[in-house]
Amino acid sequence: MNFLSQPIPSHPEPDWSRLQALPIEEVGDPLVPLGLVTSPIRVYPAYFHLGVPGALAECHVRASVLTRLQQAARLLPAGIELVVLDGWRPLAVQQYLFDTLLAAMRDHDPAGSEAEHQARARHFVAPPSADPRAPSPHLTGGSVDVTLCDGEGRLLDMGTEFDDISPWSYSAAFEAVARPGPREGEVIENRRLLHSVMIRAGFTNLPSEWWHFDYGNQSWAWYSQAPQALFGAMSLPGLQQRWQRQVAVFPR
C-alpha cells in the first residue's frame, strides 16, 4: 500500500499529568513568520479571520517546525497544497478558546459537574498555561493546525471543519465506517494523506483533532517516546525587546 493512503491508527488520549511531567530542554529554536512562505504551503490564520480577540494576522512556528512543514508539503501529490491555520498562539487566545468552549458545555449541560466539563473541554482545547514546566502546546511554537487545499485554494473535504468538537473530529473516526459512501471515502483518503505526510516529516498527531500536529513540545515527546521535549513556552519578541537586547551589547 502506498504510504499516502495507509489507515490512520487509533491512539488513546495521553495521560496528561504524565505528559506534562516530561522534562523540557529548551534548544532555543526561534519563532519565524510564515507570511512569506511559498507554495506548496499556504497560510490562512483562521482565528484572526474568525474574529477571535487577540488572534494574530500572521502565523508563527519554530524554525525547525517550518522545515518539517516544507518537507511534508513536498510529499503531497501535484495539485495539493498544505494549509497552515494556526501555529504559535498567545496565551490570551488560548484562554479565550478554553473559556468559550467551557461556557458552551456548561450552558448545554448545567447539571453536569465542573470536573466533567473541564475534562470534555480539554479533549479539544488545552487549558491555558504559561507554566515553564508544562506550557500549553501552541504556546511553545511546536504545535500547528493544518489542512489541505487544491491548486485553486479550495479546501479539501476533511469530514468536519477545523476546530469541530464532535466525535468525527477524531483523526481515525472515519476509519471505523464499515461501508463508506463516496463522500466518506473521499474524507478517508484526504485525512490519510494529511496524516501520512505530517508523520513522515517528523510530527505527531493529537488523536482527538485531525488538524493538530506537534513537533518538539511535550505532546510530541509523549507520542514519539522521546526522553524530553525540545521546546518550552515562547513569547513573540517585539521591537522594544529586540532593541533592549541590542543596546545591551553596544560598545560604549
Side-chain angles (χ1 to χ4, degrees):
M1 178 185 294
N2 186 316
F3 86 90
L4 295 177
S5 62
Q6 291 178 349
I8 299 173
S10 180
H11 292 299
E13 289 288 297
D15 181 325
W16 292 106
S17 61
R18 291 175 59 198
L19 182 153
Q20 293 176 327
L22 290 170
I24 301 171
E25 296 293 335
E26 175 60 58
V27 297
D29 202 10
L31 286 172
V32 295
L34 302 186
L36 298 178
V37 173
T38 58
S39 179
I41 293 178
R42 298 193 185 218
V43 183
Y44 182 83
Y47 290 127
F48 175 79
H49 292 292
L50 287 169
V52 171
L56 303 179
E58 173 68 286
C59 291
H60 298 77
V61 297
R62 298 282 189 137
S64 56
V65 171
L66 173 55
T67 298
R68 283 163 175 76
L69 287 172
Q70 291 167 326
Q71 292 172 356
R74 294 188 194 106
L75 292 171
L76 291 168
I80 304 297
E81 301 187 4
L82 187 68
V83 182
V84 178
L85 302 169
D86 194 32
W88 180 83
R89 186 182 296 166
L91 190 63
V93 174
Q94 192 71 32
Q95 185 77 58
Y96 175 88
L97 296 175
F98 190 77
D99 289 349
T100 301
L101 179 56
L102 196 56
M105 290 182 170
R106 289 169 179 155
D107 290 344
H108 176 70
D109 183 20
S113 71
E114 183 62 15
E116 291 172 337
H117 295 324
Q118 294 267 351
R120 285 189 64 201
R122 81 165 305 149
H123 279 299
F124 302 102
V125 180
S129 172
D131 184 342
R133 298 166 299 177
S136 303
H138 276 278
L139 190 62
T140 69
S143 294
V144 287
D145 296 328
V146 292
T147 188
L148 299 173
C149 72
D150 65 18
E152 302 298 323
R154 292 182 290 257
L155 296 177
L156 302 193
D157 188 355
M158 307 301 286
T160 74
E161 293 183 287
F162 161 64
D163 252 7
D164 186 89
I165 58 169
S166 76
W168 292 109
S169 71
Y170 280 71
S171 302
F174 282 84
E175 299 287 348
V177 176
R179 295 180 179 178
R183 189 254 173 166
E184 292 162 328
E186 180 181 351
V187 168
I188 290 169
E189 289 305 309
N190 290 341
R191 286 198 185 188
R192 287 179 179 182
L193 178 59
L194 176 64
H195 189 272
S196 63
V197 299
M198 293 295 286
I199 298 301
R200 272 293 176 100
F203 292 94
T204 60
N205 173 239
L206 184 64
S208 58
E209 299 179 353
W210 59 258
W211 57 83
H212 180 108
F213 294 85
D214 296 287
Y215 175 77
N217 57 23
Q218 287 172 311
S219 293
W220 166 83
W222 174 267
Y223 282 110
S224 65
Q225 300 183 334
Q228 61 196 24
L230 309 176
F231 303 154
M234 194 76 165
S235 60
L236 196 62
L239 182 61
Q240 181 181 2
Q241 290 82 2
R242 285 172 50 198
W243 280 352
Q244 286 175 339
R245 289 198 305 269
Q246 292 165 357
V247 166
V249 298
F250 277 173
R252 290 185 179 274

